[in-house]
Amino acid sequence: MPTALIAEDEELLAAHLRQELKALWPELDVVAMAAHGEEAVSLALRHRPEVCFFDIRMPGMTGLEAAAQLADDWDTDGEDGAGGDSPFPLLVFVTAYDQFALQAFDRAAVDYVLKPVQRERLAQTVSRLKAALAQRQQPPAALESAIEQLRGLLGVGTPGAAVGATAAAPSGAGGTAGALRHLQVGVGEAIVLVPVDDVVYLEAADKYVRVMTAEQEYLVRISLRELLPQLDPDRFWQVHRGHIVHVDAIERVQRDDTGKLTLRLRRRPEKLAVSRMYGYLFRAM
C-alpha cells in the first residue's frame, strides 16, 4: 500500500486534498498531516512516506525549504534508525503560483497542483505518481535526483545563491559590483561598522543574523535571505540554510563515511555542516 504525507497549513484545504486523493487513489494511505514546514520534515523522517504533498506557502519554512531540509536529513544508510533503505519520497508541490513560476516546476520534472485543487488535474498527478512508483530508483540515486530537481527550483547552482532568495539592492556602502563592504551593527548606543573582510561566517538567528568574526560576535536585524544578495557571491557562499561562510576563512572540508561534509575554519573553533543542497560547491580539483 503506497503511503503519503500532506503538509498544508490551511486545515480545510488539507482535508479537501486528502478527500480527493481518497476518491482518486483509494489504496493510498495518508500516514501524516503537517501544518507547517518543520512538522512536515519531522513527520516525513518518522513515517518515511513514498509521496509528499508540500504546500509552497507555509509558516516558517516554505514547502521548497522543507523539501530541501528533508533531503539534507534523509539518511540512505539507515543511521537515523528510520529505515534507511527507503528511497527519497516523490514530491508534489501545491501552489497558487502563476504560469511563469510553474515553468520552473516543469523544467525540474517535479509535479505540482494548483490551488484550489481540481480533481481532473489531481488525477493526472496521481497517474504520474503511480507510474513513477513503479519505476522507483534505489535510495541513493532517488535522493540525488531529488536534490538536483530542488536545486533548479530553489535557484541553487552558483556560489552565493540563496534558498528562495530574490534580488535585493545593496543597502550599505558599495564595493565591487555593489557588494557590501561593511555591516552596520548596533552596539549599545553606538553603531559599529564591521568590515565584511573580517567576517568568518554568518548564522541565521530567528529574525537576526549572527555575525562571527575571529574575535567578536554581533547581531544584525536582518534575515539571512535578505543579506545574502548584498554580499559578493565569489567570497561568500551559502553552505546551509542557516549559514553563509567567507570562502577565505575555510581551512578544509572533511567528508565522513556517509558522504556528509563539514567545514573547518581558519579563525574560529566551530565546525559548519554543509547541506546536501550545497555539496556541489566542494569538489576536489
Side-chain angles (χ1 to χ4, degrees), residues 62-239:
T62 67
L64 289 173
E65 290 171 337
Q69 184 65 50
L70 180 61
D72 195 41
D73 293 343
W74 196 269
D75 194 336
T76 57
D77 296 316
E79 291 188 356
D80 58 6
D85 58 344
S86 305
F88 191 74
L90 301 174
L91 300 176
V92 179
F93 293 101
V94 184
T95 175
Y97 280 16
D98 60 22
Q99 187 59 42
F100 176 78
L102 293 180
Q103 292 174 6
F105 290 92
D106 290 330
R107 289 195 299 269
V110 176
D111 207 2
Y112 62 87
V113 290
L114 285 172
K115 292 183 180 182
V117 174
Q118 301 295 322
R119 181 172 293 193
E120 182 179 351
R121 176 62 181 84
L122 186 59
Q124 296 176 17
T125 294
V126 167
S127 178
R128 292 172 184 170
L129 289 172
K130 288 181 177 180
L133 287 175
Q135 304 176 11
R136 285 311 304 265
Q137 297 172 297
Q138 293 302 309
L143 178 57
E144 188 56 37
S145 176
I147 288 173
E148 286 299 321
Q149 293 170 353
L150 287 168
R151 283 179 184 147
L153 290 172
L154 293 165
V156 175
T158 57
V163 171
T166 55
S171 59
T176 303
L180 279 179
R181 295 179 58 190
H182 300 85
L183 293 172
Q184 297 188 26
V185 180
V187 179
E189 299 297 322
I191 295 177
V192 176
L193 269 65
V194 180
V196 294
D197 288 343
D198 293 346
V199 174
V200 177
Y201 71 93
L202 302 155
E203 181 177 68
D206 199 10
K207 297 181 180 179
Y208 293 82
V209 168
R210 184 174 289 112
V211 180
M212 311 296 289
T213 68
E215 300 175 349
Q216 299 289 331
E217 174 181 335
Y218 305 95
L219 280 178
V220 292
R221 191 175 177 82
I222 189 174
S223 70
L224 207 64
R225 181 183 302 180
E226 294 170 318
L227 180 58
L228 181 56
Q230 303 181 44
L231 300 169
D232 184 344
D234 291 328
R235 302 173 64 211
F236 287 89
W237 292 1
Q238 184 161 22
V239 297

Side-chain angles (χ1 to χ4, degrees), residues 27-49:
E27 303 83 10
L28 183 68
D29 182 16
V30 178
V31 294
M33 304 279 283
H36 53 78
E38 289 83 356
E39 185 180 30
V41 173
S42 176
L43 289 174
L45 290 173
R46 184 191 309 169
H47 294 283
R48 295 276 170 156

